[in-house]
Amino acid sequence: MGIYLPIAEISVNVFVLLAMGAAVGFLSGMFGVGGGFLITPLLIFYNIPPAIAVATGANQVIASSFSGALSHFKRGTLDFKLGGVLLAGGIVGSTAGIYVFAVLRRVGQLDLFISLLYVVLLGTVGGLMLVESINALRASRSGAAPVLKKSGQHNWIHRLPFKMRFRASKLFVSVIPVLGLGAGIGFLSSIMGVGGGFIMVPALIYLLKVPTNVVIGTSLFQIIFTSAYTTLVHATTNQTVDVILAFLLMAGGVAGAQYGAKAGQRLRGEQLRALLAMLVLAVAIRLAIDLFVTPPNRYSLTAAGLN
Amino acid sequence: MAARQAFAAALSLSMLLALSPATAQTPPVESIQIGLSTDAISITAGFSGADLTIFGSLENPDPLVARQGRYDVIVVLEGPPRPVVVRRKDRVLGVWINLESETFENVPVSYSVATTRPLQDIAEPAKYKQLSLGAQNLYMKPVDEADAPATIEEFTAALRDRKAATGLYSENVGGVQFLSQNLFRATVRLAPNVPVGTHKARAFLFKSGLFIKESSAQLEIRKSGFEQSIFRVAHDYSFLYGVFAISLAMLTGWLGRLIFRKD
């Protein structure tokens, strides 16, 4: 069944989009990630213009993170104060990102920049995760006890000034890295259409030493607002948010996520991480190939006067 | 030679006398008229292209010339002019990057031509250039005229090529047919991605390769339907649209949890 997307201005198949949303939702439920980093490249592969894929991806992320944050809120595994500070940084980063987005679009380098960012980020994160999970799998097979990081360990981040106390996270840390992390994620959110959970979660755990149980809830909480802000600014400055497209992805996504979460409980952590790593790497490789393959036509037309 | 001309003049004069004795002194000049059944068409979101039929008539045609098929008509449906950027990808360290670009002013977004015969059989190429008639002869004005002529030419060619590839520039040879001596019907193609706005329909009359007269009419192309309303809201009330998109996402997330909850 075909449907015409009003903003993307192309006809697409409803079931393909629902299935895409459901598949990504399933994976995101299984791995506890938002899925924005999968949705946006998939939309680009499906010939949705990258500018629209990014803005709509951000919109779609709200639904999945809102749904996830609700359960964490009910369980009390959510640090509002930490989320709030991250969010303050996120708004600044996102504003900068939208500005860069508009400039890149004007000079015709947006598509390239999005692809490059994806290849670099997904390649790095995927590669690191794969190495880590393979090591963990090997260690568990040989029967050796996994090396646990000592939670009391401090690093340079904990020596920075402007300290603030976050009770729910049992944390006393400088606001600088928290704001910086928020800003970085906000920037990526507006340019890549991702929530940024796949960077936020490891950063909170390894850099800020936030207890694992509040990490996902807090990350999801701040992602809701950063993506909401990103969506709003994209809608007003670039008019690139396609609600029909976003709704189809969300509808599939929220359904898939709940089943994915259930399936995820049956797999072991290391196996889960290894699978996610391979998936992330596959997306990165696919995007990288497109950068190097000779395009069918070297010339492209764009309406001038987008500024 | 002079005798032959005189003979032709006498012949046409005698025929005119037979037709309308009142205007016998000066041979009337042929002219052309086109009519559109409507001055606005609405296309829906699912529009997959169509043929637009334009009727027109020749006024005061010379029956002899008409019988010999030496009248030619070219009908053009020209979309609204817009500035356009043409970009060329080049390889940098193995990666294809948009490097060179050229901006053109006032390029018709679409340009559909219908003709009685192939363009090259109707008139001399110089004539088309002079009239700026036909996709190949449209003058594309670069914003930066100081650029090398070869570069401008390359990008102009690429612009025409891309427009033709997306069906926005099309040529329908044989798309104009004479139904009688006076009446003709032109069929121009509307591409699926035909732009909205004011289109200009123009008809050019040629007689034995000479340009005689032009006539034009305006046609408004509008998009209608649910999808178009969304498009309009997204552009006219973008802030409210953004708020709506966010609310919809939150509602979907909440409902999804309610309906599909598995914990």
Side-chain angles (χ1 to χ4, degrees), chain B residues 23-145:
Chain B
T23 56
Q25 271 68 33
T26 49
V29 185
E30 296 95 334
S31 93
I32 187 168
Q33 288 297 330
I34 48 170
L36 298 169
S37 57
T38 169
D39 53 9
I41 35 178
S42 294
I43 53 175
T44 53
F47 183 69
S48 56
D51 283 340
L52 177 74
T53 304
I54 298 172
F55 284 98
S57 69
L58 296 190
E59 282 164 17
N60 308 318
D62 185 331
L64 182 68
V65 178
R67 217 174 299 132
Q68 292 174 340
R70 286 194 281 128
Y71 280 122
D72 279 299
V73 172
I74 300 175
V75 175
V76 176
L77 186 71
E78 195 179 315
R82 301 264 164 78
V84 65
V85 189
V86 186
R87 294 200 167 88
R88 190 184 71 202
K89 278 195 162 74
D90 285 290
R91 220 169 196 162
V92 179
L93 300 172
V95 177
W96 289 94
I97 295 176
N98 282 330
L99 276 187
E100 300 271 320
S101 73
E102 193 69 59
T103 308
F104 294 91
E105 286 173 5
N106 301 329
V107 175
V109 179
S110 61
Y111 196 86
S112 301
V113 180
T115 62
T116 42
R117 288 188 293 161
L119 277 174
Q120 67 266 26
D121 295 351
I122 297 176
E124 293 297 313
K127 195 82 231 167
Y128 296 131
K129 277 263 184 295
Q130 192 189 330
L131 291 166
S132 193
L133 175 59
Q136 292 307 314
N137 307 302
L138 268 180
Y139 176 60
M140 317 270 191
K141 188 176 182 296
V143 169
D144 196 351
E145 285 181 83

Side-chain angles (χ1 to χ4, degrees), chain A residues 145-166:
Chain A
V147 188
L148 286 171
K149 286 222 161 70
K150 282 171 224 138
S151 63
Q153 219 168 39
H154 280 217
N155 52 21
W156 61 271
I157 282 172
H158 293 82
R159 288 195 292 273
L160 290 168
F162 307 114
K163 292 209 170 191
M164 198 182 226
R165 192 168 294 283
F166 299 102

Side-chain angles (χ1 to χ4, degrees), chain A residues 69-204:
Chain A
L70 273 179
S71 5
H72 285 278
F73 173 66
K74 293 227 169 95
R75 274 186 254 147
T77 48
L78 202 167
D79 186 338
F80 283 104
K81 194 174 175 189
L82 181 61
V85 177
L86 282 170
L87 178 59
I91 300 292
V92 176
S94 175
T95 309
I98 302 251
Y99 175 74
V100 172
F101 185 94
V103 169
L104 287 170
R105 198 180 182 199
R106 198 160 60 227
V107 298
Q109 302 299 354
L110 181 67
D111 301 5
L112 173 77
F113 193 74
I114 292 173
S115 293
L116 279 178
L117 260 186
Y118 266 103
V119 169
V120 170
L121 268 174
L122 296 184
T124 314
V125 172
L128 287 174
M129 275 173 66
L130 191 64
V131 170
E132 186 268 342
S133 53
I134 286 173
N135 284 341
L137 278 173
R138 214 178 264 157
S140 69
R141 194 167 298 160
S142 63
V147 188
L148 286 171
K149 286 222 161 70
K150 282 171 224 138
S151 63
Q153 219 168 39
H154 280 217
N155 52 21
W156 61 271
I157 282 172
H158 293 82
R159 288 195 292 273
L160 290 168
F162 307 114
K163 292 209 170 191
M164 198 182 226
R165 192 168 294 283
F166 299 102
R167 272 178 213 292
S169 307
K170 301 187 191 73
L171 207 66
F172 185 58
V173 73
S174 161
V175 291
I176 297 170
V178 183
L179 285 173
L181 182 61
I185 304 284
F187 184 81
L188 295 181
S189 167
S190 54
I191 292 194
M192 300 171 73
V194 296
F198 69 103
I199 298 168
M200 178 78 91
V201 171
L204 288 179

Side-chain angles (χ1 to χ4, degrees), chain A residues 125-127 129-131 133 272-282:
Chain A
V125 172
M129 275 173 66
L130 191 64
V131 170
S133 53
L272 216 58
R273 285 205 300 278
L275 281 178
L276 179 62
M278 281 189 265
L279 186 72
V280 167
L281 278 179

Side-chain angles (χ1 to χ4, degrees), chain A:
Chain A
M1 194 172 84
I3 190 169
Y4 183 84
L5 301 176
I7 307 296
E9 299 190 73
I10 58 166
S11 281
V12 290
N13 189 308
V14 175
F15 299 110
V16 169
L17 288 178
L18 282 174
M20 203 187 275
V24 172
F26 185 84
L27 293 170
S28 68
M30 193 151 123
F31 300 120
V33 291
F37 71 96
L38 290 174
I39 282 279
T40 309
L42 278 178
L43 290 179
I44 296 173
F45 297 154
Y46 196 49
N47 287 330
I48 307 283
I52 288 157
V54 165
T56 306
N59 190 9
Q60 185 276 143
V61 164
I62 304 172
S64 56
S65 48
F66 187 71
S67 173
L70 273 179
S71 5
H72 285 278
F73 173 66
K74 293 227 169 95
R75 274 186 254 147
T77 48
L78 202 167
D79 186 338
F80 283 104
K81 194 174 175 189
L82 181 61
V85 177
L86 282 170
L87 178 59
I91 300 292
V92 176
S94 175
T95 309
I98 302 251
Y99 175 74
V100 172
F101 185 94
V103 169
L104 287 170
R105 198 180 182 199
R106 198 160 60 227
V107 298
Q109 302 299 354
L110 181 67
D111 301 5
L112 173 77
F113 193 74
I114 292 173
S115 293
L116 279 178
L117 260 186
Y118 266 103
V119 169
V120 170
L121 268 174
L122 296 184
T124 314
V125 172
L128 287 174
M129 275 173 66
L130 191 64
V131 170
E132 186 268 342
S133 53
I134 286 173
N135 284 341
L137 278 173
R138 214 178 264 157
S140 69
R141 194 167 298 160
S142 63
V147 188
L148 286 171
K149 286 222 161 70
K150 282 171 224 138
S151 63
Q153 219 168 39
H154 280 217
N155 52 21
W156 61 271
I157 282 172
H158 293 82
R159 288 195 292 273
L160 290 168
F162 307 114
K163 292 209 170 191
M164 198 182 226
R165 192 168 294 283
F166 299 102
R167 272 178 213 292
S169 307
K170 301 187 191 73
L171 207 66
F172 185 58
V173 73
S174 161
V175 291
I176 297 170
V178 183
L179 285 173
L181 182 61
I185 304 284
F187 184 81
L188 295 181
S189 167
S190 54
I191 292 194
M192 300 171 73
V194 296
F198 69 103
I199 298 168
M200 178 78 91
V201 171
L204 288 179
I205 295 174
Y206 296 116
L207 294 179
L208 299 180
K209 315 276 184 214
V210 178
T212 319
N213 62 327
V214 295
V215 163
I216 293 181
T218 308
S219 156
L220 286 173
F221 168 75
Q222 93 91 32
I223 286 168
I224 298 172
F225 293 98
T226 315
S227 337
Y229 178 74
T230 305
T231 305
L232 191 61
V233 182
H234 271 305
T236 49
T237 57
N238 301 313
Q239 281 96 34
T240 41
V241 178
D242 197 313
V243 276
I244 303 281
L245 176 60
F247 181 73
L248 290 171
L249 295 172
M250 287 174 213
V254 291
Q258 310 295 331
Y259 292 94
K262 194 136 199 240
Q265 286 162 3
R266 288 195 219 112
L267 280 166
R268 293 226 322 274
E270 304 91 70
Q271 291 171 337
L272 216 58
R273 285 205 300 278
L275 281 178
L276 179 62
M278 281 189 265
L279 186 72
V280 167
L281 278 179
V283 174
I285 291 167
R286 175 61 167 60
L287 280 168
I289 290 172
D290 282 352
L291 289 175
F292 292 99
V293 166
T294 309
N297 198 296
R298 290 171 63 198
Y299 299 93
S300 61
L301 303 184
T302 356
L306 277 169
N307 37 336

